[in-house]
Amino acid sequence: MARFAQEGGLFTECMDFHKLVQVRDSCRKYDTRPVEKEKIDRILEACRLAPSACNSQPWKFVVVDEPGLRDQLAGTTVGPMLKFNRFCLQAPVMVALVAEPPSWLSKIGGKVKDKDFYLMDIGIVAEHLCLQAAELGLGSCMIGWFDEKKARQLLHIPSGKRIPLMISLGYPASDKQRKKIRKPMSEMVSYNRY
Ligand SMILES: Cc1cc2nc3c(=O)[nH]c(=O)nc-3n(C[C@H](O)[C@H](O)[C@H](O)COP(=O)(O)O)c2cc1C
């Protein structure tokens, strides 16, 4: 198997892809251990290489690791109706995925085909982030439920730009793997007709 050599032992063996998709899950309990900058850089590089409609790359990543700001940002995921995201308060890093205007070609294509290509792009890049994090031994969780207005203010995101997702990131507090709950294959696959 390929090795990421000469990188100070932070990067070990590449994980087999099928194993990687089994290992990745939504991590909702984090260790206090900080995440190494080299690992964040590698995750961001995996994001940079993600595909997008018309190669439009309609995203920006705001990585929040400064403790005070991170607490405030994590706080936007918690509220009277948002108790289930309290675990974000423990995450050493939060990443806000900001949707940037797609290229004109992607925009026109989306209009003609009545499809929100840019949201598909954001979903794909989010999964690149989470899979690369898992491969590096990190836990992550995509967060769709948060106070977007507050988050935009905290991060000085220009008005009109949206944050479709945030992602919490850090070392998992436990190695224990949750059982995957998924529909059976027979409910989601057919061959040659619907
Ligand atoms: C677009 C999106 C938004 C999500 N938002 C949240 C969220 O706000 N809070 C949370 O705890 N999990 C959130 N999740 C994680 C899902 O609940 C999780 O992926 C799903 O239950 C499958 O579990 P697994 O990721 O552990 O395999 C989100 C996932 C996606 C793809």
Side-chain angles (χ1 to χ4, degrees), residues 21-22 24-28 77 82 84-85 87-88 123 126-127 140-146 164-166 178-182:
V21 292
Q22 287 171 323
R24 190 231 42 94
D25 62 9
S26 294
C27 176
R28 298 190 177 93
T77 70
L82 291 173
F84 55 91
N85 279 336
F87 64 90
C88 290
E127 183 65 345
S140 65
C141 187
M142 294 188 205
I143 308 292
W145 284 75
F146 58 91
L165 270 179
M166 294 211 280
R178 264 199 328 272
K179 189 175 169 330
K180 292 261 177 217
I181 302 165
R182 296 294 190 263

Side-chain angles (χ1 to χ4, degrees), residues 174-186:
S174 141
D175 289 340
K176 232 164 110 198
Q177 182 135 22
R178 264 199 328 272
K179 189 175 169 330
K180 292 261 177 217
I181 302 165
R182 296 294 190 263
K183 294 177 185 172
M185 198 71 90
S186 57

Side-chain angles (χ1 to χ4, degrees), residues 1 17 32 56 100 125 128 136 139 147-149 161-162 168:
M1 242 182 230
F17 184 74
T32 51
S56 167
E100 292 294 315
V125 83
H128 268 225
L136 296 172
D147 184 333
E148 188 181 342
K149 194 169 158 211
K161 292 199 178 177
R162 299 209 55 188
S168 58

Side-chain angles (χ1 to χ4, degrees), residues 11-128:
F11 305 104
T12 50
E13 288 196 356
C14 272
M15 203 183 282
D16 164 73
F17 184 74
H18 198 69
K19 170 108 180 110
L20 181 58
V21 292
Q22 287 171 323
V23 162
R24 190 231 42 94
D25 62 9
S26 294
C27 176
R28 298 190 177 93
K29 210 161 193 228
Y30 294 97
D31 200 290
T32 51
R33 193 172 147 197
V35 179
E36 298 85 346
K37 172 81 169 62
E38 294 86 337
K39 288 200 175 182
I40 293 184
D41 288 345
R42 188 174 285 268
I43 289 169
L44 294 170
E45 177 62 3
C47 292
R48 201 175 70 88
L49 298 178
S52 56
C54 307
N55 203 14
S56 167
Q57 305 163 66
W59 46 58
K60 261 200 181 142
F61 308 91
V62 184
V63 181
V64 179
D65 60 352
E66 188 278 302
L69 182 61
R70 185 210 50 213
D71 290 349
Q72 284 180 291
L73 187 63
T76 67
T77 70
V78 183
M81 301 284 289
L82 291 173
K83 297 226 187 298
F84 55 91
N85 279 336
R86 287 195 70 81
F87 64 90
C88 290
L89 297 166
Q90 304 177 317
V93 179
M94 293 289 294
V95 183
L97 269 64
V98 181
E100 292 294 315
S103 66
W104 64 269
L105 196 56
S106 174
K107 217 184 276 179
I108 291 172
K111 281 232 178 328
V112 171
K113 290 284 137 202
D114 189 22
K115 288 177 184 173
D116 278 337
F117 287 134
Y118 86 94
L119 276 181
M120 300 182 200
D121 299 338
I122 293 282
I124 291 168
V125 83
E127 183 65 345
H128 268 225

